[in-house]
Amino acid sequence: MKDTGTDQKVLDLEKEIASLRERVAELESQLDAKSGHPESGPVEKETNVDQILQANGLTNAEIKRFSRQLLIPEIAVEGQVALKNASVLIVGAGGLGSPSSLYLSAMGIGRIGLIDHDVVDISNIHRQVIHTESRVGVSKVESARNVNSLCKIDIYDTLLDSANAMEIVSGYDVVVDASDNPATRYLINDACVLLNKPLVSGSAVRLDGQLTTYNYNGGPCYRCMFPKPPPSNAVMNCSETGVLGIGMSSMIHNTIPFGNFNVFSKESNKKTIILVPGIIGCLEALEVVKIVTGSKANEPPNMLLFSYKSYPHFRNVKIRSRRKDCVVCGDSPTISELIDYPQFCGSGYNDKPTQWKILDGRSSQVTCREYGKIKAGRIPHVLIDVRDEAEFKIVSLPGSINIPLKNLSEDSPEIRNILTGDPVYTICKRGNYSQMAVVKLKEVYGVRDCFNIIGGLDGWSSEIDSTIPSY
Ligand SMILES: Nc1ncnc2c1ncn2[C@@H]1O[C@H](COP(=O)(O)OP(=O)(O)OP(=O)(O)O)[C@@H](O)[C@H]1O
Ligand SMILES: [Zn+2]
């Protein structure tokens, strides 16, 4: 049986809805008339409502988007407006720049400048989370231009150097150092000091990270902490073990591993796992928020250290105050304009390892092609791969024996068993450590016919056998 009472209720409801719709349309056209857009269609009407600027300085769209943040007393409307009016320069769109730019733009920073001269490589995307597979080969800043239409992104697809740094840095309130090399770190520091900008500086190497805010509230600058750049000629600093031994203050240029003051080398400082730059990059973003919203940031000056291995993972160390004799921020500074930073640091604006020259000339070295002939001709020899075991497991040349460089420092019977008297060839990733191995094999084991393979596995992969992957 039909329920006429229910039908009537449905009809009444439909009528009420229709009349409410008419009323809404009427109100919307009145709103249009008042805001001067009588012709606008429904989509634009919505936009207009979103764009209404409230007395507190936020638009309706911003109130909707940032509502959860607005409810937090530490941010609230004042903080959100401060974020909106702030501009932040992020140097480097890599491991640290990815999370810091993602979070800063998502949370409402009004303008972000992103500078990087590199393109996305497939080996970047495991940690440089702003880039995706489809962007491999694309400029990093283009790839990172993202997400939040409420944040203006200025992209600089270029190298930050002494010629452009003052102009670029001057356009922003806060600077984030998300770079990876000493020359850039000193450059950014000096520009920030000269222009009086706070500098949030982070680094992540291997399993360790660090974070500090420099040049802020009368605190120290990067140069106050590290007046001298790390040694540029890595060879000069080889420890007895054959692994780079760098003093603690030099290590801090990249990181202080606090679980264990591990030495690390320029060649291995690329080994980093995704979470470390992610964590440090997020903390850089957090420091920016504190600076911009006027919360106390880094007071007294501290350096936050992160270590994957240690628990708890974080440790805070108080750092020195501003150095009166600092050459850039001290009482009588001698640096009043930017200098030649690659020259000062003895290394360029990148973290690419340089080719070492431990072995002079060709008497103890062969090219990949020359070694290729020896291998193809089955001429008796011993091929020693001096990389760490972890790297050896990634890829190696058939027939090579893995003896990590550090094991060559002390005379060992096992190694003597391998050295049969045939000529010895040494190989590593790029042909740097393998030069040191030649020195050790001669010094410790008295091997006379010992040769480094110039260019290492990378050279072998590009010149001889492209099936050997470059990593
Ligand atoms: N002076 C500079 N100007 C512009 N970008 C810079 C400068 N120095 C460093 N960078 C950028 O900072 C980023 C540092 O990030 P990260 O070390 O994670 O990346 P990467 O160099 O791509 O990594 P990998 O060493 O594995 O190749 C890089 O994208 C690099 O191009
Ligand atoms: Zn200083």
Side-chain angles (χ1 to χ4, degrees):
M1 256 194 33
K2 237 181 156 191
D3 182 346
T4 47
T6 310
D7 280 356
Q8 190 53 49
K9 272 186 197 156
V10 170
L11 278 175
D12 287 349
L13 258 178
E14 280 174 355
K15 265 193 205 160
E16 199 182 335
I17 289 168
S19 109
L20 281 172
R21 284 213 171 103
E22 272 175 30
R23 179 77 185 125
V24 168
E26 205 179 301
L27 285 171
E28 279 178 346
S29 72
Q30 281 175 16
L31 186 67
D32 278 342
K34 284 194 175 152
S35 54
H37 298 290
E39 307 300 331
S40 54
V43 175
E44 270 189 56
K45 278 182 211 161
E46 268 178 40
T47 311
N48 288 336
V49 171
D50 278 350
Q51 285 171 359
I52 289 173
L53 186 66
Q54 300 295 336
N56 60 21
L58 296 173
T59 63
N60 284 7
E62 287 161 345
I63 290 172
K64 275 189 219 161
R65 182 174 299 213
F66 302 118
S67 59
R68 304 301 184 270
Q69 251 165 226
L70 294 171
L71 296 172
I72 300 171
E74 285 75 10
I75 300 290
V77 167
E78 297 78 7
Q80 196 65 51
V81 171
L83 293 173
K84 175 181 174 176
N85 293 332
S87 55
V88 180
L89 178 68
I90 301 175
V91 184
L96 298 166
S98 287
S100 54
S101 62
L102 271 172
Y103 273 99
L104 288 172
S105 64
M107 69 177 359
I109 290 288
R111 188 165 58 90
I112 290 179
L114 205 48
I115 179 162
D116 202 308
H117 59 115
D118 203 3
V119 295
V120 179
D121 185 82
I122 190 72
S123 68
N124 295 152
I125 62 177
H126 79 112
R127 68 185 191 283
Q128 302 183 15
V129 290
I130 205 164
H131 310 303
T132 56
E133 280 173 21
S134 63
R135 313 256 176 82
V136 169
V138 173
S139 119
K140 281 189 179 171
V141 282
E142 203 49 68
S143 160
R145 180 207 285 272
N146 66 78
V147 294
N148 174 5
S149 62
L150 300 183
C151 174
K152 182 175 181 323
I153 307 267
D154 308 328
I155 62 170
Y156 303 91
D157 184 3
T158 186
L159 183 80
L160 186 76
D161 60 17
S162 307
N164 60 17
M166 290 298 276
E167 195 185 333
I168 293 175
V169 171
S170 67
Y172 298 87
D173 302 325
V174 184
V175 178
V176 172
D177 186 346
S179 72
D180 58 358
N181 59 83
T184 303
R185 290 194 187 281
Y186 282 99
L187 165 74
I188 299 172
N189 178 70
D190 291 0
C192 284
V193 172
L194 295 174
L195 293 163
N196 199 19
K197 309 278 180 188
L199 167 60
V200 178
S201 176
S203 75
V205 178
R206 284 186 164 190
L207 302 172
D208 304 286
Q210 70 170 61
L211 173 85
T212 315
T213 298
Y214 293 112
N215 197 40
Y216 180 63
N217 269 354
C221 80
Y222 183 72
R223 275 186 192 267
C224 293
M225 283 290 289
F226 312 112
K228 289 195 187 126
S232 61
N233 185 349
V235 178
M236 298 303 290
N237 295 282
C238 297
S239 73
E240 269 308 290
T241 59
V243 182
L244 260 182
I246 301 177
M248 177 170 150
S249 107
S250 307
M251 285 195 288
I252 290 174
H253 283 286
N254 292 298
T255 186
I256 303 175
F258 72 84
N260 152 20
F261 288 103
N262 253 330
V263 291
F264 68 88
S265 73
K266 285 197 170 185
E267 287 219 348
S268 59
N269 71 10
K270 289 178 173 229
K271 295 171 193 161
T272 183
I273 58 166
I274 180 167
L275 285 174
V276 183
I279 289 162
I280 302 296
C282 284
L283 287 169
E284 286 189 296
L286 194 84
E287 283 308 292
V288 170
V289 171
K290 289 178 79 179
I291 291 171
V292 167
T293 58
S295 310
K296 282 191 175 166
N298 196 24
E299 256 179 51
N302 284 300
M303 180 177 284
L304 185 71
L305 306 176
F306 171 86
S307 170
Y308 168 85
K309 285 186 188 160
S310 308
Y311 197 84
H313 295 296
F314 289 99
R315 205 180 75 183
N316 213 17
V317 289
K318 195 167 174 288
I319 55 172
R320 55 157 309 120
S321 54
R322 189 174 66 87
R323 229 177 232 276
K324 285 191 172 141
D325 62 350
C326 174
V327 292
V328 67
C329 81
D331 292 347
S332 315
T334 51
I335 292 183
S336 55
E337 56 184 33
L338 299 181
I339 60 170
D340 183 338
Y341 296 90
Q343 190 192 48
F344 173 64
C345 295
S347 55
Y349 290 119
N350 60 58
D351 68 342
K352 308 293 175 252
T354 46
Q355 207 62 42
W356 300 350
K357 286 192 178 127
I358 303 172
L359 300 176
D360 252 354
R362 298 291 309 282
S363 60
S364 301
Q365 306 201 79
V366 293
T367 62
C368 288
R369 285 189 194 288
E370 285 163 348
Y371 176 69
K373 284 183 192 156
I374 289 157
K375 204 169 162 55
R378 295 178 186 274
I379 298 170
H381 70 280
V382 177
L383 174 61
I384 299 180
D385 188 324
V386 302
R387 293 171 301 152
D388 286 347
E389 196 187 342
E391 285 187 74
F392 187 74
K393 280 185 184 162
I394 298 172
V395 63
S396 62
L397 290 190
S400 56
I401 301 166
N402 185 211
I403 307 178
L405 179 63
K406 58 182 182 290
N407 299 351
L408 287 175
S409 291
E410 276 172 26
D411 202 337
S412 115
E414 289 83 24
I415 294 176
R416 282 209 175 266
N417 279 342
I418 293 166
L419 302 171
T420 53
D422 289 332
V424 177
Y425 292 84
T426 60
I427 194 162
C428 65
K429 182 164 164 55
R430 295 191 183 82
N432 282 338
Y433 290 121
S434 50
Q435 294 182 52
M436 291 160 69
V438 167
V439 175
K440 293 285 169 205
L441 284 163
K442 289 187 177 194
E443 273 176 16
V444 180
Y445 294 93
V447 181
R448 283 169 58 189
D449 287 340
C450 192
F451 306 92
N452 165 51
I453 301 176
I454 298 168
L457 277 172
D458 281 357
W460 187 263
S461 167
S462 61
E463 290 173 43
I464 310 289
D465 181 1
S466 60
T467 64
I468 298 288
S470 183
Y471 62 93

